[in-house]
Amino acid sequence: MATTQLPTPAARGRSPFPLPSLLALATAVFVTALTETLPAGVLPGMGGALGVGESAAGQTVTVYALGTAATAIPLTAATAGWSRKRLLLGAMAGFAVANTVTAASTNYPLTIAARFLAGVAAGLAWALLAGYARRLVPAGQQGRAMAVAMAGVPVALSLGVPVGTFLGRVLAWWVPFLAMTALAVGVIGWIAAALPDQPGRADGDRTPVRRALALPGVRPVLAVTVLLVLAHTVLFTFVAPFLDRAGLGTATDSVLLVFGLASLVAIWFTGVHIHRRLRWLTAGGVLLIAAAAALLGLWPDGSPLVHLAALLWGLGWGGAPTLLQTAAGDAGGAQADAAQAALVTLWNVAMAGGGVAGGLVLRRFGTGALPWTVLLLLVPVLAVVLGARAHGFPARRT
């Protein structure tokens, strides 16, 4: 006798939202973001153990970004046919190895090599995470899925960095790195158990990055990425000396906490509205960051206004990774993975460049010039976003 099966939610046109899978991706994003910035909070102890100064120890952050920038595009092309799940598991295993070596090493070149390996793993992970999240849901839920997956970034900045710094100060500088190893191992198990696999491209369907760059919408998205990340990094890298010289050095933790919490709110708001308002969310985020920079430039020594600036900055910046990766995916279409690899590469180039540019501004003009540098960089960002209404940041998403 034939049995009658009830229609599934997908068959009825209502796909269930895969929250456990997306939270696994968000935790992978957290591992990626925190591993990059963790040395900043433990530089004195790390430098002492390696027998180098704090400036040399700080290059462990730079070499991570260089590892990502140098390898994201070629690795994405080389692994285009691989299973997405297997590739993500490999990237998380790379983080586990790199953080373990970093914690155990007392040799500076070995530590630099481990950090470069972590950067390579990050380039691989970032190039596929956004596309993975988008593939798990139907088109109408992609913005929300991206927002959940990208929530790992502000959580890492607002909670992960302070907790890691605390553990490094109270216990030992290497403890946070071992904790990251344990978290990476846990994420590997979570991904293996909860994340459905997604296939790579067939051998004959691999898209070189140069073809993605030829698409008219990809180029404005990448231009906005470079300038916006550069503007953000110029100030964010040196926010501690900026506040210190304004007489607010003791408020650094609270300012960063406000920034992180506001970023979480921005990610939620972005997830709700991105499907219909990507263009205006991007433009609004740029204007919020510009308002924050203006407040810091005009009233750098007023604690309430500085915290208000941090609030505006977080609201403007929090949705940026989701917005830019969604825009790149939309503009890339069938070549989205190649567009994402280019975005990851340029994002890290801009981060490294922002640190260098901010340092030059700091030495030449002082901390007071940092907010005005941000404003100067944001002018062309807003112009590109508003001008790319046909491709890149269209008035209506399809």
Side-chain angles (χ1 to χ4, degrees), residues 176-226:
F177 290 98
L178 279 188
M180 292 305 297
T181 295
L183 182 57
V185 171
V187 173
I188 289 172
W190 191 354
I191 291 171
L195 202 63
D197 197 7
Q198 297 288 341
R201 294 184 179 274
D203 287 344
D205 193 28
R206 299 186 187 181
T207 304
V209 171
R210 63 178 177 273
R211 284 179 56 194
L213 295 178
L215 296 171
V218 171
R219 285 169 291 182
V221 173
L222 296 181
V224 167
T225 298
V226 170

CSV table of all heavy atoms in Angstrom, one decimal, residues 176-226:
chain,number,residue,atom,x,y,z
A,176,PRO,N,45.8,32.6,25.8
A,176,PRO,CA,44.8,32.9,24.9
A,176,PRO,C,45.0,32.1,23.5
A,176,PRO,O,44.0,31.7,22.9
A,176,PRO,CB,44.9,34.4,24.6
A,176,PRO,CG,45.5,34.9,25.9
A,176,PRO,CD,46.5,33.8,26.3
A,177,PHE,N,46.2,31.9,23.1
A,177,PHE,CA,46.4,31.1,21.9
A,177,PHE,C,46.0,29.7,22.0
A,177,PHE,O,45.5,29.1,21.1
A,177,PHE,CB,47.9,31.3,21.5
A,177,PHE,CG,48.3,32.7,21.0
A,177,PHE,CD1,48.9,33.6,21.9
A,177,PHE,CD2,48.0,33.1,19.7
A,177,PHE,CE1,49.2,34.8,21.5
A,177,PHE,CE2,48.3,34.4,19.3
A,177,PHE,CZ,48.9,35.3,20.2
A,178,LEU,N,46.3,29.1,23.2
A,178,LEU,CA,45.9,27.7,23.4
A,178,LEU,C,44.4,27.6,23.5
A,178,LEU,O,43.8,26.7,23.0
A,178,LEU,CB,46.5,27.1,24.7
A,178,LEU,CG,48.0,26.6,24.5
A,178,LEU,CD1,48.4,25.9,25.8
A,178,LEU,CD2,48.1,25.6,23.4
A,179,ALA,N,43.8,28.7,24.1
A,179,ALA,CA,42.3,28.7,24.1
A,179,ALA,C,41.7,28.8,22.7
A,179,ALA,O,40.7,28.1,22.4
A,179,ALA,CB,41.8,29.9,24.9
A,180,MET,N,42.4,29.5,21.8
A,180,MET,CA,41.9,29.5,20.4
A,180,MET,C,42.1,28.2,19.7
A,180,MET,O,41.3,27.8,18.9
A,180,MET,CB,42.7,30.6,19.7
A,180,MET,CG,42.4,32.0,20.1
A,180,MET,SD,40.6,32.4,20.0
A,180,MET,CE,40.4,32.3,18.3
A,181,THR,N,43.2,27.5,20.1
A,181,THR,CA,43.3,26.1,19.5
A,181,THR,C,42.1,25.2,20.0
A,181,THR,O,41.5,24.5,19.1
A,181,THR,CB,44.6,25.5,20.0
A,181,THR,OG1,45.7,26.2,19.5
A,181,THR,CG2,44.7,24.0,19.6
A,182,ALA,N,41.8,25.3,21.2
A,182,ALA,CA,40.7,24.5,21.7
A,182,ALA,C,39.4,24.9,21.0
A,182,ALA,O,38.6,24.0,20.7
A,182,ALA,CB,40.5,24.6,23.2
A,183,LEU,N,39.2,26.2,20.8
A,183,LEU,CA,38.0,26.6,20.2
A,183,LEU,C,37.9,26.1,18.7
A,183,LEU,O,36.9,25.7,18.2
A,183,LEU,CB,37.9,28.1,20.2
A,183,LEU,CG,36.6,28.8,19.6
A,183,LEU,CD1,35.3,28.2,20.3
A,183,LEU,CD2,36.6,30.3,19.8
A,184,ALA,N,39.1,26.2,18.0
A,184,ALA,CA,39.2,25.8,16.7
A,184,ALA,C,38.8,24.3,16.5
A,184,ALA,O,38.1,23.8,15.6
A,184,ALA,CB,40.5,26.0,16.1
A,185,VAL,N,39.3,23.5,17.5
A,185,VAL,CA,39.0,22.0,17.5
A,185,VAL,C,37.5,21.8,17.7
A,185,VAL,O,36.9,21.0,17.0
A,185,VAL,CB,39.9,21.3,18.6
A,185,VAL,CG1,39.4,19.9,18.7
A,185,VAL,CG2,41.3,21.3,18.2
A,186,GLY,N,36.9,22.6,18.6
A,186,GLY,CA,35.5,22.5,18.8
A,186,GLY,C,34.7,22.8,17.6
A,186,GLY,O,33.7,22.2,17.3
A,187,VAL,N,35.2,23.9,16.9
A,187,VAL,CA,34.5,24.3,15.7
A,187,VAL,C,34.6,23.2,14.6
A,187,VAL,O,33.6,23.0,13.8
A,187,VAL,CB,35.0,25.6,15.2
A,187,VAL,CG1,34.4,26.0,13.8
A,187,VAL,CG2,34.7,26.8,16.1
A,188,ILE,N,35.7,22.6,14.5
A,188,ILE,CA,35.9,21.5,13.6
A,188,ILE,C,34.8,20.4,13.8
A,188,ILE,O,34.2,19.9,12.8
A,188,ILE,CB,37.3,20.9,13.6
A,188,ILE,CG1,38.3,21.9,13.1
A,188,ILE,CG2,37.4,19.5,12.9
A,188,ILE,CD1,39.8,21.5,13.3
A,189,GLY,N,34.6,20.0,15.0
A,189,GLY,CA,33.6,19.0,15.4
A,189,GLY,C,32.2,19.5,15.0
A,189,GLY,O,31.4,18.8,14.5
A,190,TRP,N,31.9,20.8,15.3
A,190,TRP,CA,30.6,21.4,15.1
A,190,TRP,C,30.3,21.4,13.6
A,190,TRP,O,29.2,21.1,13.1
A,190,TRP,CB,30.6,22.8,15.7
A,190,TRP,CG,29.2,23.5,15.7
A,190,TRP,CD1,28.1,23.0,15.2
A,190,TRP,CD2,28.9,24.7,16.3
A,190,TRP,NE1,27.0,23.9,15.4
A,190,TRP,CE2,27.5,24.9,16.1
A,190,TRP,CE3,29.7,25.7,17.0
A,190,TRP,CZ2,26.9,26.1,16.6
A,190,TRP,CZ3,29.0,26.8,17.5
A,190,TRP,CH2,27.7,27.0,17.3
A,191,ILE,N,31.3,21.9,12.8
A,191,ILE,CA,31.1,21.9,11.3
A,191,ILE,C,30.9,20.5,10.8
A,191,ILE,O,30.0,20.3,9.9
A,191,ILE,CB,32.4,22.6,10.7
A,191,ILE,CG1,32.4,24.1,11.0
A,191,ILE,CG2,32.3,22.4,9.2
A,191,ILE,CD1,33.7,24.7,10.6
A,192,ALA,N,31.7,19.6,11.3
A,192,ALA,CA,31.6,18.2,10.8
A,192,ALA,C,30.2,17.6,11.1
A,192,ALA,O,29.6,16.9,10.2
A,192,ALA,CB,32.6,17.3,11.4
A,193,ALA,N,29.6,18.0,12.2
A,193,ALA,CA,28.3,17.4,12.6
A,193,ALA,C,27.1,18.2,12.1
A,193,ALA,O,26.1,17.6,11.7
A,193,ALA,CB,28.2,17.4,14.1
A,194,ALA,N,27.2,19.5,12.0
A,194,ALA,CA,26.0,20.3,11.7
A,194,ALA,C,25.9,21.0,10.4
A,194,ALA,O,24.9,21.4,9.9
A,194,ALA,CB,25.9,21.4,12.8
A,195,LEU,N,27.1,21.1,9.7
A,195,LEU,CA,27.0,21.9,8.4
A,195,LEU,C,26.9,21.0,7.2
A,195,LEU,O,27.7,20.1,7.0
A,195,LEU,CB,28.4,22.6,8.3
A,195,LEU,CG,28.4,23.9,7.4
A,195,LEU,CD1,27.4,24.9,8.0
A,195,LEU,CD2,29.8,24.5,7.3
A,196,PRO,N,25.8,21.2,6.4
A,196,PRO,CA,25.7,20.5,5.2
A,196,PRO,C,26.8,20.8,4.2
A,196,PRO,O,27.2,22.0,4.1
A,196,PRO,CB,24.3,20.9,4.7
A,196,PRO,CG,24.0,22.2,5.3
A,196,PRO,CD,24.7,22.2,6.6
A,197,ASP,N,27.2,19.9,3.4
A,197,ASP,CA,28.3,20.1,2.4
A,197,ASP,C,27.7,20.9,1.2
A,197,ASP,O,26.5,20.9,0.9
A,197,ASP,CB,28.9,18.8,2.0
A,197,ASP,CG,30.2,19.0,1.3
A,197,ASP,OD1,30.7,20.2,1.3
A,197,ASP,OD2,30.8,18.0,0.8
A,198,GLN,N,28.6,21.7,0.6
A,198,GLN,CA,28.3,22.3,-0.6
A,198,GLN,C,29.4,22.0,-1.6
A,198,GLN,O,30.6,22.0,-1.3
A,198,GLN,CB,28.3,23.9,-0.4
A,198,GLN,CG,27.2,24.3,0.5
A,198,GLN,CD,25.8,24.2,-0.1
A,198,GLN,OE1,25.6,24.1,-1.3
A,198,GLN,NE2,24.8,24.2,0.7
A,199,PRO,N,29.0,21.7,-2.9
A,199,PRO,CA,30.1,21.3,-3.8
A,199,PRO,C,30.9,22.4,-4.3
A,199,PRO,O,30.4,23.6,-4.3
A,199,PRO,CB,29.2,20.6,-5.0
A,199,PRO,CG,27.9,21.3,-4.9
A,199,PRO,CD,27.7,21.6,-3.4
A,200,GLY,N,32.1,22.1,-4.8
A,200,GLY,CA,32.9,23.1,-5.5
A,200,GLY,C,32.4,23.2,-7.0
A,200,GLY,O,31.5,22.6,-7.4
A,201,ARG,N,33.2,23.9,-7.8
A,201,ARG,CA,32.8,24.0,-9.2
A,201,ARG,C,33.5,22.9,-9.9
A,201,ARG,O,34.5,22.4,-9.6
A,201,ARG,CB,33.4,25.4,-9.8
A,201,ARG,CG,32.7,26.6,-9.2
A,201,ARG,CD,33.2,27.8,-9.9
A,201,ARG,NE,32.5,29.0,-9.4
A,201,ARG,CZ,31.4,29.5,-9.8
A,201,ARG,NH1,30.7,28.8,-10.8
A,201,ARG,NH2,30.8,30.5,-9.3
A,202,ALA,N,32.8,22.5,-11.0
A,202,ALA,CA,33.4,21.5,-11.9
A,202,ALA,C,34.7,22.0,-12.5
A,202,ALA,O,34.9,23.2,-12.7
A,202,ALA,CB,32.4,21.1,-13.0
A,203,ASP,N,35.6,21.1,-12.9
A,203,ASP,CA,36.9,21.6,-13.4
A,203,ASP,C,36.8,22.6,-14.6
A,203,ASP,O,37.6,23.5,-14.7
A,203,ASP,CB,37.8,20.4,-13.9
A,203,ASP,CG,38.3,19.6,-12.7
A,203,ASP,OD1,38.2,20.1,-11.6
A,203,ASP,OD2,38.7,18.4,-12.9
A,204,GLY,N,35.8,22.4,-15.4
A,204,GLY,CA,35.7,23.2,-16.6
A,204,GLY,C,34.9,24.5,-16.3
A,204,GLY,O,34.7,25.3,-17.1
A,205,ASP,N,34.5,24.7,-15.0
A,205,ASP,CA,33.7,25.9,-14.7
A,205,ASP,C,34.3,26.8,-13.6
A,205,ASP,O,33.7,27.5,-12.9
A,205,ASP,CB,32.3,25.4,-14.1
A,205,ASP,CG,31.3,26.5,-14.1
A,205,ASP,OD1,31.4,27.4,-14.9
A,205,ASP,OD2,30.4,26.4,-13.2
A,206,ARG,N,35.7,26.7,-13.5
A,206,ARG,CA,36.4,27.5,-12.6
A,206,ARG,C,36.6,28.9,-13.2
A,206,ARG,O,37.1,29.0,-14.3
A,206,ARG,CB,37.7,26.9,-12.2
A,206,ARG,CG,37.5,25.5,-11.5
A,206,ARG,CD,38.8,24.9,-11.0
A,206,ARG,NE,38.5,23.6,-10.5
A,206,ARG,CZ,39.5,22.8,-10.0
A,206,ARG,NH1,40.7,23.3,-9.9
A,206,ARG,NH2,39.2,21.6,-9.6
A,207,THR,N,36.4,29.9,-12.4
A,207,THR,CA,36.4,31.3,-12.9
A,207,THR,C,37.6,32.0,-12.4
A,207,THR,O,37.8,32.2,-11.2
A,207,THR,CB,35.1,32.0,-12.4
A,207,THR,OG1,34.0,31.3,-12.8
A,207,THR,CG2,35.1,33.4,-13.0
A,208,PRO,N,38.5,32.4,-13.3
A,208,PRO,CA,39.7,33.2,-12.8
A,208,PRO,C,39.2,34.6,-12.3
A,208,PRO,O,38.2,35.1,-12.7
A,208,PRO,CB,40.5,33.3,-14.1
A,208,PRO,CG,39.6,33.1,-15.2
A,208,PRO,CD,38.5,32.2,-14.7
A,209,VAL,N,40.0,35.1,-11.4
A,209,VAL,CA,39.6,36.4,-10.8
A,209,VAL,C,39.6,37.5,-11.8
A,209,VAL,O,38.7,38.4,-11.7
A,209,VAL,CB,40.6,36.7,-9.7
A,209,VAL,CG1,40.4,38.1,-9.1
A,209,VAL,CG2,40.5,35.7,-8.5
A,210,ARG,N,40.4,37.4,-12.8
A,210,ARG,CA,40.4,38.5,-13.8
A,210,ARG,C,39.1,38.6,-14.5
A,210,ARG,O,38.6,39.7,-15.0
A,210,ARG,CB,41.6,38.4,-14.8
A,210,ARG,CG,41.5,37.1,-15.6
A,210,ARG,CD,42.7,37.1,-16.6
A,210,ARG,NE,42.7,35.9,-17.4
A,210,ARG,CZ,43.3,34.7,-17.0
A,210,ARG,NH1,43.9,34.7,-15.8
A,210,ARG,NH2,43.3,33.7,-17.8
A,211,ARG,N,38.4,37.5,-14.7
A,211,ARG,CA,37.1,37.5,-15.3
A,211,ARG,C,36.0,38.1,-14.4
A,211,ARG,O,35.1,38.9,-14.8
A,211,ARG,CB,36.6,36.1,-15.7
A,211,ARG,CG,37.3,35.6,-17.0
A,211,ARG,CD,36.9,34.2,-17.3
A,211,ARG,NE,35.5,34.1,-17.5
A,211,ARG,CZ,34.8,32.9,-17.5
A,211,ARG,NH1,35.5,31.8,-17.4
A,211,ARG,NH2,33.5,32.9,-17.7
A,212,ALA,N,36.2,37.9,-13.1
A,212,ALA,CA,35.3,38.5,-12.1
A,212,ALA,C,35.5,40.0,-12.1
A,212,ALA,O,34.5,40.8,-12.0
A,212,ALA,CB,35.5,37.9,-10.7
A,213,LEU,N,36.8,40.4,-12.2
A,213,LEU,CA,37.1,41.9,-12.2
A,213,LEU,C,36.5,42.6,-13.4
A,213,LEU,O,36.3,43.8,-13.4
A,213,LEU,CB,38.6,42.1,-12.1
A,213,LEU,CG,39.2,41.6,-10.8
A,213,LEU,CD1,40.7,41.8,-10.8
A,213,LEU,CD2,38.6,42.3,-9.6
A,214,ALA,N,36.3,41.8,-14.5
A,214,ALA,CA,35.8,42.5,-15.7
A,214,ALA,C,34.3,42.8,-15.6
A,214,ALA,O,33.8,43.6,-16.4
A,214,ALA,CB,36.0,41.5,-16.9
A,215,LEU,N,33.6,42.2,-14.6
A,215,LEU,CA,32.2,42.5,-14.4
A,215,LEU,C,32.0,43.9,-13.9
A,215,LEU,O,32.7,44.3,-12.9
A,215,LEU,CB,31.6,41.5,-13.4
A,215,LEU,CG,31.6,40.0,-13.9
A,215,LEU,CD1,31.2,39.1,-12.8
A,215,LEU,CD2,30.7,39.9,-15.1
A,216,PRO,N,31.1,44.7,-14.4
A,216,PRO,CA,31.0,46.1,-14.1
A,216,PRO,C,30.7,46.4,-12.6
A,216,PRO,O,31.1,47.4,-12.0
A,216,PRO,CB,29.9,46.7,-15.0
A,216,PRO,CG,29.1,45.4,-15.4
A,216,PRO,CD,30.1,44.3,-15.5
A,217,GLY,N,29.9,45.5,-12.0
A,217,GLY,CA,29.6,45.7,-10.6
A,217,GLY,C,30.6,45.4,-9.6
A,217,GLY,O,30.6,45.9,-8.4
A,218,VAL,N,31.6,44.6,-9.9
A,218,VAL,CA,32.6,44.1,-9.0
A,218,VAL,C,33.6,45.2,-8.7
A,218,VAL,O,34.0,45.4,-7.5
A,218,VAL,CB,33.3,42.9,-9.5
A,218,VAL,CG1,34.5,42.5,-8.7
A,218,VAL,CG2,32.4,41.7,-9.6
A,219,ARG,N,33.9,46.0,-9.7
A,219,ARG,CA,35.0,47.0,-9.4
A,219,ARG,C,34.6,48.1,-8.5
A,219,ARG,O,35.4,48.5,-7.6
A,219,ARG,CB,35.4,47.6,-10.8
A,219,ARG,CG,36.3,46.7,-11.6
A,219,ARG,CD,36.5,47.1,-13.0
A,219,ARG,NE,35.3,47.0,-13.8
A,219,ARG,CZ,35.2,47.3,-15.1
A,219,ARG,NH1,36.2,47.8,-15.7
A,219,ARG,NH2,34.0,47.2,-15.7
A,220,PRO,N,33.4,48.7,-8.5
A,220,PRO,CA,33.0,49.7,-7.5
A,220,PRO,C,32.9,49.1,-6.1
A,220,PRO,O,33.3,49.8,-5.1
A,220,PRO,CB,31.6,50.2,-8.0
A,220,PRO,CG,31.1,49.3,-9.0
A,220,PRO,CD,32.4,48.6,-9.6
A,221,VAL,N,32.5,47.8,-6.0
A,221,VAL,CA,32.4,47.2,-4.7
A,221,VAL,C,33.8,47.1,-4.1
A,221,VAL,O,34.1,47.4,-2.9
A,221,VAL,CB,31.8,45.8,-4.7
A,221,VAL,CG1,31.9,45.1,-3.4
A,221,VAL,CG2,30.3,46.0,-5.1
A,222,LEU,N,34.8,46.7,-4.9
A,222,LEU,CA,36.2,46.5,-4.4
A,222,LEU,C,36.8,47.9,-4.1
A,222,LEU,O,37.6,48.0,-3.2
A,222,LEU,CB,37.0,45.8,-5.5
A,222,LEU,CG,36.6,44.3,-5.8
A,222,LEU,CD1,37.5,43.7,-6.8
A,222,LEU,CD2,36.6,43.5,-4.5
A,223,ALA,N,36.5,48.9,-4.9
A,223,ALA,CA,37.0,50.3,-4.6
A,223,ALA,C,36.5,50.8,-3.3
A,223,ALA,O,37.2,51.3,-2.5
A,223,ALA,CB,36.6,51.2,-5.8
A,224,VAL,N,35.2,50.6,-3.0
A,224,VAL,CA,34.6,51.0,-1.7
A,224,VAL,C,35.3,50.2,-0.6
A,224,VAL,O,35.6,50.7,0.5
A,224,VAL,CB,33.1,50.7,-1.8
A,224,VAL,CG1,32.5,50.8,-0.3
A,224,VAL,CG2,32.4,51.8,-2.7
A,225,THR,N,35.5,48.9,-0.8
A,225,THR,CA,36.1,48.0,0.2
A,225,THR,C,37.5,48.6,0.6
A,225,THR,O,37.8,48.8,1.8
A,225,THR,CB,36.3,46.6,-0.3
A,225,THR,OG1,35.0,46.1,-0.6
A,225,THR,CG2,37.0,45.7,0.7
A,226,VAL,N,38.3,48.9,-0.4
A,226,VAL,CA,39.7,49.4,-0.1
A,226,VAL,C,39.6,50.7,0.7
A,226,VAL,O,40.3,50.8,1.7
A,226,VAL,CB,40.5,49.6,-1.4
A,226,VAL,CG1,41.8,50.3,-1.1
A,226,VAL,CG2,40.7,48.2,-2.1
